[in-house]
Amino acid sequence: MEGKQDYDLLVIGGGSGGLACAKEAAQLGKKVAVVDYVEPSPRGTSWGLGGTCVNVGCIPKKLMHQAALLGGMIRDAPHYGWDVAQPVQHDWKKMAEAVQNHVKSLNWGHRVQLQDRKVKYFNIKASFVNEHTISGVTKGGKETLLSAEHIVIATGGRPKYPTHIEGALEYGITSDDIFWLKDSPGKTLVVGASYVALECAGFLTGLGLDTTVMMRSIPLRGFDQQMSSLVTEYMASQGTHFLKHCIPSRVQKLPDGQLQVTWEDLTSGIENVGTFDTVLWAIGRIPETRSLNLENAGINTNPNSQKILVDAQEATSVPHIYAIGDVAEGRPELTPTAIMAGKLLAQRLCGQSSDVMDYSNVPTTIFTPLEYGCVGLSEEEAIAHYGEEHVEMVCLRKPPQLVLGLHLLGPNAGEVTQGFALGIKFGASYKQVMQTVGIHPTCAEEVVKLRISKRSGLDPTVTGC
Amino acid sequence: MVQIIKDKDELKTFLKAAGCKLVVVEFSAKWCGPCKRIYPLIRAMSLQYGNVMFANVDVDDSKELAQEYHINSVPTFQMFKQTQKVTLFSRLKRATCCYGNGFVSEPIFEFCGADAQKLEAKIQELM
């Protein structure tokens, strides 16, 4: 397209993917602008620059998970000789303030980084006017028009509300709100079986709060199911209540301020009622595409998920418009993949590289009380792909027995899985795993000591060294 | 007393009103732990050094001002005086500064970090 545009690159969304892409492109000499805007949650929660990860995701989640784990360590401490008075009380207000201050310092850090790299930042809500122009509106209603040669959409997603459930919107909160609560959520009902649901329920329980998880069917759909049930079993042993095969039908507010939830037990068909201080919906996320006016630019979305359709180059149906991160169809909803995809995209746009993002063998970890780290295929996926007779311990039976996936449940699972991800990404075989000496005493060494297959039926429980 | 400064105009007014006095502007944030810790010490200094003017800018409330002065971390202390730089020339000029009508918008000194001792030493040196 001829004519001078305001910017070489305009990034819509100042989250993990958007900022990484913008900063990389600026560093490579392009004139870049980032527009970021946070529509307040139904409860009114809002936050600064940095996206979901920084403000209402990974960061505050890991901090609260750590807070909960510390509680466990304090309880164990006397057994190791420490003189710690029991029981120890947790002050939500104090923790919340510390977490929120840390998040705000990260918002600041991102703003400074953009300034340093000469990326122009606008706190405006963007929507497409045409394929090279967006209209941005400030909180106060002032409109600006911005045009760019290339546009990257990285607007991410937001939690879903079950609007068909009476009282859900008025009385429930989501992960957008939980990390910004000034006061303790108290007795909480977490509805959902996602990792968001389980991670939140996990740290709430660890902090000493009466927590219940209500699930319609299986936990952690898409993840290895054997591991997923181990995750929930552990949580139950730590005090999290589980209402399995139940679906909520109504949320009402009681005169004393508490919430009354009515639900149906799908197994018995019986309707039950319970009282909670807080109801947290963790039933999934929807992409932030509704108010972008994508049709004005001719950008196609998946009609079911509403996510933006992209190719291997992250390009949308419009050649100079791209989409990365949670908003793009078929991509993992993870910060590191969004960041890497954003950087590679910037490099390609600046002619520095032709590498595309490799989304295979992406390691990840669920930070439930007992952490679950994994990389590669789940057992179900491996069987579906290769056939049951070919799969053993999530590696191929045929020599050299390529490792297809690794699943690890235990403390610091994320730290442990990271190292193994390197080996798996570059085609480690089971033979190579067996040849690797373990570090003793650690939990990680169990990976290289794996010798018992599920098919053998033998008991894999480790008793001695 | 520590004057809260919200924007460029307020800073201009404050610097002008300072005349030949040393002005200490602290750029801080509500979420910053070290800023909270050093606050009572600054307040005490503002009461102790009557001929030094103290001001505070919150980097979140006054984003543009923080950006204009290239604030990268908090707390950052910037000191202003009628003279542009502390050079031999400006020392001579200082003797006649009160007769000038120029006002300065660039800091003569800056440092980052909640070091109260360092701050006080510099104030004593420049005031």
Side-chain angles (χ1 to χ4, degrees), chain A residues 113-125:
Chain A
Q113 276 183 35
L114 289 185
Q115 275 170 37
D116 283 351
R117 321 258 172 127
K118 312 243 185 310
V119 174
K120 195 87 177 72
Y121 160 57
F122 298 93
N123 184 210
I124 55 180
K125 185 166 176 172

Side-chain angles (χ1 to χ4, degrees), chain A residues 6 15 36 54 117 196 245 264 267 292 341 352 407:
Chain A
D6 295 328
D36 184 69
V54 164
R117 321 258 172 127
V196 174
H245 308 292
E264 189 199 333
T267 340
L292 282 175
Q352 296 287 320
H407 301 261

Side-chain angles (χ1 to χ4, degrees), chain A residues 292-316:
Chain A
L292 282 175
N293 291 342
L294 296 174
E295 61 283 355
N296 287 350
I299 299 164
N300 296 336
T301 56
N302 177 313
N304 293 325
S305 67
Q306 288 168 56
K307 289 191 177 185
I308 298 175
L309 295 167
V310 291
D311 62 20
Q313 319 280 328
E314 326 294 358
T316 65

Side-chain angles (χ1 to χ4, degrees), chain B residues 36-63:
Chain B
K36 283 198 189 78
R37 284 196 289 279
I38 204 176
Y39 173 69
L41 299 167
I42 303 214
R43 207 170 154 270
M45 275 188 241
S46 73
L47 297 168
Q48 186 183 344
Y49 297 95
N51 60 336
V52 177
M53 307 273 283
F54 287 80
N56 178 286
V57 177
D58 182 300
V59 297
D60 291 319
D61 295 341
S62 315
K63 291 187 174 78

Side-chain angles (χ1 to χ4, degrees), chain A residues 392-433:
Chain A
E392 194 170 84
M393 287 167 52
V394 211
C395 63
L396 293 171
R397 279 191 98 177
K398 195 175 83 175
Q401 293 180 291
L402 178 74
V403 179
L404 301 173
L406 174 70
H407 301 261
L408 211 143
L409 185 72
N412 305 305
E415 307 294 348
V416 176
T417 307
Q418 180 72 87
F420 286 109
L422 174 65
I424 288 169
K425 194 165 175 81
F426 294 98
S429 66
Y430 175 54
K431 184 164 181 221
Q432 286 168 329
V433 170

Side-chain angles (χ1 to χ4, degrees), chain B residues 55-102:
Chain B
N56 178 286
V57 177
D58 182 300
V59 297
D60 291 319
D61 295 341
S62 315
K63 291 187 174 78
E64 279 167 13
L65 197 51
Q67 192 169 343
E68 194 168 332
Y69 283 90
H70 308 291
I71 306 301
N72 282 340
S73 61
V74 278
T76 290
F77 296 95
Q78 289 187 345
M79 298 187 196
F80 299 77
K81 219 170 178 192
Q82 275 281 0
T83 46
Q84 283 279 12
K85 271 182 292 200
V86 186
T87 61
L88 175 61
F89 178 70
S90 59
R91 283 214 189 92
L92 290 170
K93 199 174 166 200
R94 208 189 294 164
T96 54
C97 82
C98 294
Y99 303 104
N101 63 354

Side-chain angles (χ1 to χ4, degrees), chain A residues 97 100-102 104-105 108 111-112 115-116, chain B residues 30-31 36 59-60 63 66-67 71-73:
Chain A
E97 197 184 326
Q100 288 151 24
N101 282 344
H102 179 72
K104 287 177 186 168
S105 76
W108 163 257
R111 282 215 312 275
V112 167
Q115 275 170 37
D116 283 351
Chain B
K30 294 187 200 71
W31 40 260
K36 283 198 189 78
V59 297
D60 291 319
K63 291 187 174 78
Q67 192 169 343
I71 306 301
N72 282 340
S73 61

